[in-house]
């Protein structure tokens, strides 16, 4: 974004008549006799800042002021207008704000005001900033941030920007996509054919939503022009939908610096040290406040329009529109959420930070309203993270219960974009009774499906949820009982082994376990091939029902891990837990590349072996000292021969190492680092698999009575799955996939003793890259990772 006019210089003042009308409406709504939750949902739609003609209406829910008996005369809407010309895309600057405090009208826990003269932000213009402020008896002022704001350029713990959402929606470039929906009914989006999961900051060199949009638009033009596809093109093609890892605001730096620091505070003027948000996070460490807005660290222009532009790029993609799926995290909040929201939002601590207080009708309504506003950016689907975490204490039964009613309410939210109403397609990650010790055995992955009214609700399936290690010998047979479940009831499951969670878990496995060394010569190669596996993809796209999902980093054979550079207190402990991933993802050569791990090198870790030695010792010291950084540093300084790295070690130095690891790994995981190494034949095969599936939507359905899935027994050291499926038009599809073990030598797959396979007429439709293009049938030897796909019409 270029420099933009930040202030019109107009007078900011309360519009008394409009404020009285807001108060009258609120009072009438509260006293209308509706159930408390329904009342809260009506009011929640008016929370935050909204443009009504030339007036800005602002409303807050602040029960903490009510319980503290703060007088209405001590509560104001504080409006801050940047003085003069300004830009939001500088890394650091001092901005001077003209301050105006607007009196509010209060009814119970609701404070509101209508304000004349506020500038609404747009793509070209910086808007006024606002928050609610109150003063105590000592004349000390406290600020409350808007949890439902549309734009938070300085993060969720700073004043929000008043933004013209209607203007943003009016300018969207995919209106035709929405106008094609039914006009007089609520359209329900159903499941897609397959999904590509993308982490925005590691997807392109730009590390932004705008950068991803440019990449997709450039790729779309190549497709329109019929350009020859490159491997780097193919890994983005053949998908019906893109699912973004969460784009909500996440945690900020625990020990600073803050992005908003007030340095001069006068009655009518405020001078602020502004830092552009630059945190890196995998997306799941949310603070709940600001969930209706976009994480400013992902915005190149600091304009929320970037997410609308991305939706439009997907919806306008040539050939067939791509859907946008947003990943939302409402099952928990990081402890930093306590900094931005009152205690009324929380129900107590959990393993992630804080539980949300879903049983409070107002909190419940606000969370659903946050979801509605975010999806209105243009999402066609919603993936709900950790649905098993939505729980509440039933005092009568003295037990925890899953709030399946709330999950249904999430799925029932109606969106409105470009004049059309719709309900998105919903996917739930739910592995209940996870995290109980026996969850892998006892979870049926169907709890939400069975409780929801719609028959097109989906869940993550058992090979998708977590802890999948396809690079270990016996993995596939040990999971065969789960595979059998997929065949019987997997039509409403998301399938596939490679996602943000499984790939991360894979890098944390002890490399001394029984590794499938037939996959590659190095650990890096083994890990890459395990999650970008030609035979496993044959299973996912041809043999398995459900909706396949691929993770971009896995398909690009890029690195991945837990990325979060905000921790101060526990950052060293987290890095100690992640240290084992060095053995899987970094070798001496990749470490030596000048652009890689530059921060760690600057701290003194000159080569990979020196860092590896430090990482062997660090986890042991975390355990031995009960995570005492001072004692850990003392012991590290006494290691003989001395360790490389900062010298001497102290608690501060240990934190520097932890931060450097997270920042360097974030850069190392960027997909662009791996595109030049992608194979032409391999990416072509993977794309053809996706296209084959797209042409046969019936493959999503569960197995019928004539379908077969098995493997030869005794195995004799080989795991080769065979699948025979029957289409509604008389087509038969047969696949064989060698997953692990010794080769199958000199046999004809179409002559195997499988019921329904006999009769001949089979044609090779697709072969994995290491099978020669001249193979058209007959005897063959299959080795690890090889796969074949045959088709025929049913013999008459």
């Amino acid at each position: 974004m270029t420099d933009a006019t930040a202030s019109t210089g107009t007078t900011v003042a309360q519009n008394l008549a409009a404020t009285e009308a807001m108060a009258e409406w609120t009072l009438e709504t509260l006293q209308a006799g509706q159930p408390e939750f329904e009342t809260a949902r009506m009011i929640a739609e008016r929370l935050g800042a909204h443009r009504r003609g030339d007036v800005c209406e602002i409303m807050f829910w602040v029960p903490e002021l009510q319980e503290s008996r703060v007088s209405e005369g001590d509560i104001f809407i504080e409006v801050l207008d940047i003085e003069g010309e300004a830009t939001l895309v500088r890394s650091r600057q001092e901005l001077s704000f003209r301050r105006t405090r607007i009196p509010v009208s209060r009814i119970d826990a609701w404070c509101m005001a209508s304000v004349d003269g506020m500038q609404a932000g747009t793509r070209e213009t910086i808007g006024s900033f606002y928050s609610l402020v109150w003063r105590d008896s000592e004349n000390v002022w406290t600020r409350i941030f808007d949890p439902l704001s549309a734009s938070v350029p300085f993060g969720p713990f700073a004043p929000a920007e008043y933004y013209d959402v209607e203007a943003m929606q009016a300018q969207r470039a995919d209106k035709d996509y929405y106008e094609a929906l039914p006009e007089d009914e609520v359209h329900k989006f159903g499941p897609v054919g397959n999904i590509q999961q993308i982490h925005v900051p590691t997807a392109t060199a730009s590390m932004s939503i705008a950068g991803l949009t440019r990449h997709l638009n450039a790729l779309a033009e190549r497709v329109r022009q019929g350009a020859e596809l490159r491997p780097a093109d193919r890994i983005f093609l053949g998908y019906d939908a893109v699912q973004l890892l969460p784009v909500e605001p996440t945690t900020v730096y625990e020990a600073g610096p803050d992005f908003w620091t007030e340095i001069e505070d006068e009655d009518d003027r405020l001078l602020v040290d502004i830092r552009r948000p630059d945190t890196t996070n995998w997306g799941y460490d949310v603070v709940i406040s600001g969930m209706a807005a976009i994480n400013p660290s992902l915005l190149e222009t600091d304009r929320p329009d970037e997410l609308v532009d991305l939706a439009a790029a997907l919806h306008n993609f040539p050939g067939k529109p791509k859907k946008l799926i947003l990943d939302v995290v409402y099952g928990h909040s990081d402890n930093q959420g306590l900094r931005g929201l009152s205690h009324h939002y929380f129900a107590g601590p959990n393993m992630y930070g804080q539980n949300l207080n879903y049983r409070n009708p107002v909190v419940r309504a606000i969370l659903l309203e946050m979801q509605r506003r975010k999806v209105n950016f243009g999402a066609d689907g919603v993936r709900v993270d950790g649905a098993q975490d939505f729980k509440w204490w039933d005092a009568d039964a003295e037990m925890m219960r899953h709030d399946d009613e709330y999950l249904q309410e999430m799925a029932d939210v109606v969106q409105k974009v470009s004049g059309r109403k719709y309900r998105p397609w919903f996917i739930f990650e739910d592995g209940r009774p996870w995290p109980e010790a026996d969850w892998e055995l006892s979870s049926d992955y169907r709890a939400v499906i069975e409780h929801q009214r719609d028959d097109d609700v989906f869940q993550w399936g058992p090979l998708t949820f977590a802890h999948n290690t396809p690079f270990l010998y016996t993995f596939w047979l040990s999971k065969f009982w789960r595979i059998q479940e997929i065949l019987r009831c997997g039509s409403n499951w998301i399938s596939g082994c490679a996602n943000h969670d499984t790939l991360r878990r894979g890098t944390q496995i002890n490399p001394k376990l029984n590794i499938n060394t037939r996959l590659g010569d190095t650990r890096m190669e083994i890990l890459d091939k395990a999650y970008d596996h030609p035979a496993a993809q044959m299973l996912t796209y041809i043999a398995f029902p459900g909706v396949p999902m691929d993770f971009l980093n896995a398909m690009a054979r890029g690195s991945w891990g837990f990325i979060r550079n905000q921790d101060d207190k526990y950052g060293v402990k987290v890095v100690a837990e992640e240290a084992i991933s060095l053995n899987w993802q970094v070798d001496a050569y990749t470490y030596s590349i000048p652009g890689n791990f530059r921060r760690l090198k600057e701290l003194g870790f000159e080569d990979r072996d020196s860092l590896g030695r430090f990482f062997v010792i660090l986890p042991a010291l975390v355990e031995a000292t009960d995570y005492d950084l001072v004692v850990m540093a003392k012991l590290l300084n006494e290691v003989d021969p001395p360790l490389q790295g900062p010298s001497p070690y102290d608690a501060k130095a240990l934190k520097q190492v932890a931060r450097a690891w997270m920042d360097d790994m974030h850069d190392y995981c960027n997909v662009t680092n791996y595109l030049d190494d992608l194979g032409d034949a391999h990416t072509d095969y993977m794309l053809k698999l996706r296209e084959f599936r797209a042409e046969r939507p019936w493959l999503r359905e569960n197995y019928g009575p004539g379908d077969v899935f098995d493997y030869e027994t005794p195995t004799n050291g080989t795991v080769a799955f065979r699948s025979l499926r029957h289409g509604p038009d008389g087509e038969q599809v047969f696949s064989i996939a060698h997953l692990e073990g010794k080769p199958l030598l000199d046999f004809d797959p179409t002559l195997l003793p499988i019921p329904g396979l006999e009769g001949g007429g089979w044609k090779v439709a697709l072969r994995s890259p290491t099978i020669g293009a001249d193979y058209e049938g007959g005897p063959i030897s299959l080795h690890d990772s090889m796969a074949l796909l045959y088709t025929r019409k049913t013999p008459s």
Side-chain angles (χ1 to χ4, degrees):
M1 186 177 114
T2 57
D3 288 355
T5 301
S7 174
T8 61
T10 57
T11 300
V12 175
Q14 184 191 54
N15 185 309
L16 184 58
T19 301
E20 290 176 349
M22 285 183 71
E24 183 178 348
W25 176 87
T26 304
L27 183 61
E28 290 176 352
T29 303
L30 289 169
Q31 295 180 349
Q34 297 273 10
E36 189 175 3
F37 174 55
E38 295 304 319
T39 298
R41 292 197 72 172
M42 293 175 65
I43 297 178
E45 289 197 16
R46 297 188 70 165
L47 290 175
H50 300 271
R51 183 175 67 82
R52 311 292 186 199
D54 295 330
V55 176
C56 175
E57 293 185 353
I58 303 176
M59 182 183 288
F60 279 77
W61 179 61
V62 280
E64 64 271 35
L65 301 189
Q66 186 181 26
E67 66 187 8
S68 297
R69 302 178 70 178
V70 177
S71 300
E72 179 179 314
D74 290 317
I75 306 172
F76 300 85
I77 299 296
E78 182 182 74
V79 180
L80 299 172
D81 287 295
I82 299 175
E83 296 181 318
E85 299 294 314
T87 179
L88 297 179
V89 295
R90 287 179 55 185
S91 59
R92 188 176 182 182
Q93 61 187 313
E94 287 186 3
L95 289 179
S96 178
F97 293 87
R98 186 180 77 248
R99 167 191 274 153
T100 309
R101 293 193 179 110
I102 306 297
V104 302
S105 178
R106 184 172 73 176
I107 298 175
D108 296 331
W110 312 91
C111 290
M112 64 216 71
S114 289
V115 186
D116 290 323
M118 287 182 65
Q119 173 73 54
T122 64
R123 190 188 294 267
E124 297 81 17
T125 305
I126 302 172
S128 301
F129 292 85
Y130 68 95
S131 59
L132 186 140
V133 296
W134 62 278
R135 62 186 167 201
D136 62 15
S137 59
E138 303 300 320
N139 209 34
V140 174
W141 290 89
T142 300
R143 179 179 282 118
I144 296 174
F145 309 114
D146 180 11
L148 282 153
S149 51
S151 177
V152 286
F154 314 128
F157 306 130
E161 180 186 12
Y162 166 43
Y163 209 77
D164 194 336
V165 175
E166 290 183 2
M168 178 178 67
Q169 292 284 9
Q171 296 172 3
R172 55 185 315 133
D174 55 356
K175 291 181 182 178
D176 291 347
Y177 173 81
Y178 288 101
E179 290 172 358
L181 300 180
E183 187 172 0
D184 300 322
E185 60 184 77
V186 177
H187 178 73
K188 179 66 173 71
F189 281 114
V192 298
N194 63 353
I195 302 169
Q196 182 176 47
Q197 188 186 39
I198 291 179
H199 177 244
V200 169
T202 59
T204 66
S206 299
M207 299 182 289
S208 67
I209 294 175
L212 179 58
T213 300
R214 285 194 300 272
H215 180 82
L216 290 171
N217 283 333
L219 181 58
E221 192 57 32
R222 288 178 59 78
V223 171
R224 289 189 188 96
Q225 298 293 335
E228 183 178 351
L229 297 178
R230 305 164 299 187
D233 297 329
R234 294 192 192 102
I235 63 171
F236 285 92
L237 293 174
Y239 294 101
D240 293 328
V242 165
Q243 177 181 306
L244 303 180
L245 269 67
V247 295
E248 287 76 33
T250 58
T251 51
V252 298
Y253 298 119
E254 286 181 347
D258 287 333
F259 304 135
W260 173 280
T261 303
E262 297 172 11
I263 52 180
E264 289 184 18
D265 188 351
E266 302 173 4
D267 283 344
D268 59 354
R269 184 176 175 274
L270 186 65
L271 187 63
V272 184
D273 180 5
I274 299 290
R275 294 175 185 262
R276 183 167 165 76
D278 60 353
T279 52
T280 57
N281 197 287
W282 67 336
Y284 293 95
D285 301 299
V286 299
V287 294
I288 300 300
S289 185
M291 293 283 275
I294 316 297
N295 183 350
S297 296
L298 306 182
L299 296 176
E300 187 175 288
T301 64
D302 248 330
R303 303 289 82 190
D305 304 68
E306 287 186 31
L307 187 55
V308 172
D309 294 343
L310 176 61
L314 293 169
H315 293 156
N316 294 332
F317 204 84
K320 180 182 179 181
K322 294 179 182 290
K323 308 293 186 183
L324 173 62
I325 301 171
L326 294 182
D327 192 340
V328 299
V329 187
Y330 289 105
H332 59 85
S333 169
D334 186 272
N335 282 323
Q336 286 192 24
L338 297 168
R339 175 179 169 185
L341 299 169
S342 77
H343 68 88
H344 295 271
Y345 283 87
F346 304 105
N350 62 21
M351 62 189 297
Y352 304 108
Q354 296 293 319
N355 291 303
L356 277 297
N357 188 13
Y358 307 102
R359 306 306 286 180
N360 181 304
V362 179
V363 173
R364 197 177 185 91
I366 287 175
L367 295 175
L368 291 172
E369 178 63 13
M370 287 178 174
Q371 172 193 309
R372 187 187 70 83
R373 296 186 191 186
K374 176 56 67 64
V375 176
N376 267 359
F377 276 90
D380 310 275
V382 176
R383 183 260 185 184
V384 179
D385 179 70
Q388 71 277 342
D389 297 330
F390 294 76
K391 292 184 283 192
W392 59 283
W393 176 254
D394 186 335
D396 293 329
E398 295 185 349
M399 63 180 295
M400 293 294 293
R401 294 193 184 277
H402 289 277
D403 200 340
D404 290 307
E405 182 181 354
Y406 180 75
L407 301 182
Q408 181 68 63
E409 289 163 357
M410 295 180 79
D412 287 341
V413 172
V414 175
Q415 310 299 143
K416 187 175 182 181
V417 178
S418 294
R420 298 296 188 269
K421 294 181 179 180
Y422 69 92
R423 289 173 54 219
W425 175 46
F426 262 76
I427 306 166
F428 294 91
E429 180 205 30
D430 191 306
R432 67 184 78 173
W434 189 88
E436 293 180 12
D438 69 339
W439 71 268
E440 287 190 273
L441 179 67
S442 56
S443 177
D444 63 7
Y445 300 95
R446 295 190 58 78
V448 184
I449 291 172
E450 292 170 354
H451 281 93
Q452 292 261 326
R453 289 191 298 271
D454 294 331
D455 59 6
D456 62 353
V457 171
F458 273 60
Q459 285 188 230
W460 274 27
L463 292 188
T464 305
F465 185 71
H467 301 299
N468 287 300
T469 53
F471 51 88
L472 297 181
Y473 276 124
T474 75
F475 168 80
W476 289 102
L477 281 188
S478 71
K479 294 289 187 180
F480 189 70
W481 65 288
R482 285 298 194 189
I483 291 174
Q484 289 177 308
E485 291 178 340
I486 293 173
L487 307 179
R488 292 194 306 270
C489 59
S491 63
N492 281 48
W493 276 343
I494 304 300
S495 62
C497 277
N499 60 69
H500 77 281
D501 216 7
T502 54
L503 185 54
R504 177 211 172 190
R505 297 294 185 186
T507 67
Q508 296 176 317
I509 298 297
N510 188 335
K512 295 182 179 180
L513 294 178
N514 194 19
I515 306 300
N516 182 358
T517 53
R518 288 187 173 92
L519 286 172
D521 297 326
T522 67
R523 290 170 183 163
M524 291 174 64
E525 188 178 9
I526 289 169
L527 188 74
D528 287 344
K529 289 185 177 180
Y531 289 104
D532 182 31
H533 192 284
Q537 289 294 87
M538 182 69 77
L539 290 184
T540 299
Y541 276 87
I542 307 303
F544 289 169
V547 171
M549 182 177 71
D550 299 328
F551 183 37
L552 174 62
N553 292 62
M555 296 302 102
R557 298 198 171 184
S559 293
W560 177 248
F562 178 65
I563 299 170
R564 168 178 168 150
N565 70 354
Q566 298 97 318
D567 292 301
D568 180 70
K569 184 176 181 180
Y570 291 111
V572 177
K573 185 176 182 179
V574 171
V575 169
E577 294 170 351
E578 294 291 311
I580 196 170
S581 68
L582 184 74
N583 295 300
W584 286 106
Q585 300 194 99
V586 186
D587 60 17
Y589 176 74
T590 55
Y591 190 90
S592 70
I593 295 173
N596 290 344
F597 300 97
R598 56 185 178 83
R599 300 169 186 85
L600 287 166
K601 291 172 183 174
E602 290 171 358
L603 288 175
F605 296 105
E606 298 175 359
D607 52 45
R608 188 243 183 246
D609 287 344
S610 65
L611 180 63
R613 185 166 173 247
F614 173 82
F615 273 169
V616 167
I617 298 172
L618 184 67
L621 292 183
V622 169
E623 185 74 22
T625 67
D626 195 25
Y627 192 55
D628 186 320
L629 292 180
V630 174
V631 177
M632 288 170 60
K634 182 177 183 298
L635 294 173
L636 286 169
N637 289 327
E638 295 174 0
V639 172
D640 187 29
L643 293 169
Q644 288 190 13
S647 180
Y649 282 99
D650 56 19
K652 180 180 179 181
L654 286 175
K655 292 179 180 181
Q656 288 177 324
V657 172
R659 171 68 183 273
W661 164 261
M662 286 295 184
D663 287 336
D664 281 342
M665 278 302 295
H666 177 263
D667 294 345
Y668 186 66
C669 290
N670 195 287
V671 165
T672 57
N673 296 326
Y674 305 91
L675 298 180
D676 292 340
D677 297 327
L678 293 176
D680 192 72
H682 178 79
T683 56
D684 184 62
Y685 163 81
M686 292 295 193
L687 176 57
K688 283 185 168 61
L689 266 181
R690 298 192 289 270
E691 292 172 341
F692 186 93
R693 175 82 172 215
E695 292 166 359
R696 295 161 179 83
W698 57 268
L699 288 172
R700 201 207 100 194
E701 302 304 324
N702 297 328
Y703 273 44
D707 295 336
V708 178
F709 187 96
D710 67 1
Y711 61 94
E712 186 172 352
T713 56
T715 61
N716 294 321
T718 300
V719 179
F721 291 126
R722 298 91 63 97
S723 167
L724 176 62
R725 305 192 65 181
H726 298 74
D729 59 354
E731 183 185 34
Q732 289 179 302
V733 174
F734 172 62
S735 63
I736 182 166
H738 189 304
L739 273 301
E740 63 178 75
K742 298 175 182 178
L744 286 172
L745 299 175
D746 198 28
F747 75 109
D748 187 337
T750 63
L751 298 180
L752 291 169
I754 297 173
L757 193 64
E758 65 279 348
W762 291 102
K763 302 293 184 183
V764 176
L766 192 59
R767 56 190 72 79
S768 57
T770 53
I771 298 175
D774 58 344
Y775 175 74
E776 296 293 344
I780 190 172
S781 294
L782 289 184
H783 296 258
D784 200 324
S785 305
M786 288 184 176
L788 281 165
L789 174 63
Y790 301 83
T791 61
R792 74 174 179 187
K793 287 292 184 177
T794 305
S796 58

